């Protein structure tokens, strides 16, 4: 009887295993210098986005503050565009737009994908699984930009139509990853122990199985974040994205006529900031994936 009391429960063993995974991942990530540098760069961008959100910087991005195409000065670091608007402030404010779109889409697409992935994985081979997989395959068959255009028209140019369209398009990838992991996990001992104790099915799925896919969801969320930012830039460049604000995509679209006239500041400001963020976040995502991979020491 004493041995039974001293023996940790299945839930405690699962928690210890999860804590061990995160501890080892943190140790491995701290050894990765490229990962740390890229994380620092992303943190700088995020800090800038927070300062814009809170109203401390770049609040005059839409005001005409000088002559058209003025050269860089101490007042206007990147010069001005054709309308006399400060390019530096517009590029800085676009950082907030990028994080707003990226975080919104990544969080919602990951949550939806995780939920459906756990359900299809747990009920794999059933009619429910086949039905959800059919929906996922149907969504994947629709050209992405056509879907965004159709949703934008259906929502009557709502500012959230692009977010909804991206979430609808991106959750299927997360669901497939989670489904495969849950199919592997559901035959393990801690799930069988939960069933033997009479734990309801929904608690098994969302309390025991989903937490054990968090390492996959975290990596997938970082990938969705940067995919959403790049998609927003392309959509805004094509006129299907941001309408009532400013973004790097809109700046590049505006710069298409500036470049032919020999003015490159607008283009380099937007594309340069986008390039550094995408590169840093991709490197950070790779380092995070390596750190969370239990097969790598």
């Amino acid at each position: 009887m004493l041995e039974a009391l001293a023996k940790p429960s299945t839930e405690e063993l699962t928690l210890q295993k999860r804590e061990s995974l995160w501890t080892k991942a943190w140790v491995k990530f701290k050894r990765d210098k490229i990962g740390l540098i890229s994380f620092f760069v992303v943190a700088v961008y995020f800090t800038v986005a927070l300062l814009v959100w809170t109203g401390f910087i770049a609040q005059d991005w839409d005001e005409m503050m000088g002559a058209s195409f003025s050269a860089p000065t101490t007042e206007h670091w990147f010069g001005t565009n054709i309308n006399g608007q400060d390019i530096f402030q517009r590029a800085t404010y676009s950082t907030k737009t990028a994080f707003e779109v990226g975080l919104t889409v990544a969080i919602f697409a990951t949550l939806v994908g995780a939920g459906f992935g756990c359900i299809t994985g747990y009920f794999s081979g059933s009619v429910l699984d086949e039905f959800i997989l059919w929906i996922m395959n149907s969504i994947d068959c629709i050209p992405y930009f056509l879907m965004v255009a159709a949703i934008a028209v259906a929502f009557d140019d709502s500012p959230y139509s692009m977010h909804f369209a991206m979430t609808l398009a991106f959750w299927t990838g997360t669901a497939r990853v989670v489904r495969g992991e849950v199919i592997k996990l559901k035959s393990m001992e801690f799930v069988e122990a939960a069933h033997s104790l009479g734990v309801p099915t929904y608690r098994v799925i969302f309390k025991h199985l989903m937490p054990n896919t968090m390492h996959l969801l975290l990596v997938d969320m970082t990938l969705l974040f940067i995919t959403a930012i790049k998609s927003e830039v392309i959509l805004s460049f094509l006129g299907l994205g941001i309408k009532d604000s400013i973004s790097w995509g809109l700046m590049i679209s505006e710069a298409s006529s500036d470049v032919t006239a020999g003015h490159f500041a607008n283009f380099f400001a937007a594309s340069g900031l986008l390039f550094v963020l995408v590169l840093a976040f991709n490197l950070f995502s790779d380092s995070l994936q390596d750190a969370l991979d239990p097969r790598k020491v």
Side-chain angles (χ1 to χ4, degrees):
M1 178 182 265
L2 290 176
E3 291 180 359
L5 291 173
K7 186 177 180 181
S9 65
T10 304
E11 195 167 325
E12 290 174 341
L13 288 173
T14 305
L15 182 60
Q16 291 174 6
K17 182 179 178 181
R18 201 182 309 153
E19 289 177 347
S20 177
L21 172 65
W22 292 112
T23 302
K24 291 179 180 179
W26 172 242
V27 172
K28 287 190 286 185
F29 183 77
K30 287 195 298 183
R31 297 176 188 163
D32 191 339
K33 293 182 179 179
I34 294 179
L36 291 175
I37 293 173
S38 60
F39 175 74
F40 174 75
V41 173
V42 172
V44 170
Y45 271 84
F46 182 66
T47 303
V48 171
L50 281 178
L51 291 175
V52 175
W53 263 319
T54 52
F56 284 102
I57 60 174
Q59 299 303 302
D60 300 327
W61 62 271
D62 59 340
E63 293 186 9
M64 290 178 283
M65 307 175 68
S68 298
F69 297 126
S70 65
T73 62
T74 54
E75 185 180 358
H76 308 296
W77 291 3
F78 293 165
T80 60
N81 63 4
I82 190 174
N83 296 320
Q85 297 165 322
D86 189 284
I87 294 176
F88 177 75
Q89 290 208 37
R90 291 168 71 82
T92 303
Y93 194 91
S94 298
T95 306
K96 171 252 187 187
T97 303
F99 271 85
E100 187 177 67
V101 173
L103 287 175
T104 301
V105 174
I107 290 173
F108 281 100
T110 301
L111 289 175
V112 174
F116 279 104
C118 286
I119 293 172
T120 55
Y122 186 83
F123 296 104
S124 59
S126 66
V127 176
L128 179 62
D129 178 42
E130 294 295 332
F131 177 69
I132 296 177
L133 286 176
W134 175 79
I135 294 176
M136 292 163 58
N137 291 330
S138 299
I139 292 175
D140 290 339
C141 288
I142 303 174
Y144 170 64
F145 292 108
L146 179 61
M147 181 191 300
V148 174
I151 293 176
V153 173
F155 277 68
D156 195 22
D157 290 332
S158 167
Y160 301 105
S161 60
M162 179 182 62
H163 303 71
F164 180 77
M166 287 187 189
T167 303
L168 184 62
F170 294 160
W171 72 268
T172 57
T174 303
R176 295 183 192 280
V177 172
V178 174
R179 178 179 181 272
E181 184 70 10
V182 169
I183 290 175
K184 181 179 69 175
L185 290 173
K186 71 176 184 178
S187 60
M188 298 184 70
E189 292 181 356
F190 72 94
V191 178
E192 295 178 0
H195 282 303
S196 64
L197 293 173
V199 178
T201 300
Y202 74 92
R203 286 177 61 87
V204 173
I205 294 175
F206 295 108
K207 186 176 180 180
H208 296 277
L209 290 174
M210 186 179 286
N212 282 282
T213 64
M214 286 301 297
H215 61 292
L216 298 176
L217 293 176
L218 185 60
V219 173
D220 204 62
M221 187 180 293
T222 61
L223 296 174
L224 286 176
F225 175 84
I226 206 64
T227 302
I229 289 178
K230 292 189 292 185
S231 298
E232 179 275 318
V233 169
I234 296 172
L235 292 170
S236 296
F237 179 81
L238 296 175
L240 298 173
I242 299 296
K243 304 289 185 183
D244 55 351
S245 185
I246 188 64
S247 74
W248 292 324
L250 284 176
M251 291 183 66
I252 295 173
S253 178
E254 294 170 357
S256 58
S257 59
D258 298 348
V259 171
T260 57
H263 302 285
F264 301 95
N266 212 12
F267 174 78
F268 283 129
S271 58
L273 289 174
L274 172 65
F275 172 77
V276 173
L277 177 60
V278 170
L279 178 62
F281 220 101
N282 280 334
L283 292 174
F284 167 66
S285 180
D286 290 341
S287 299
L288 186 64
Q289 189 171 6
D290 291 340
L292 290 171
D293 191 344
R295 296 169 296 182
K296 296 184 180 181
V297 181

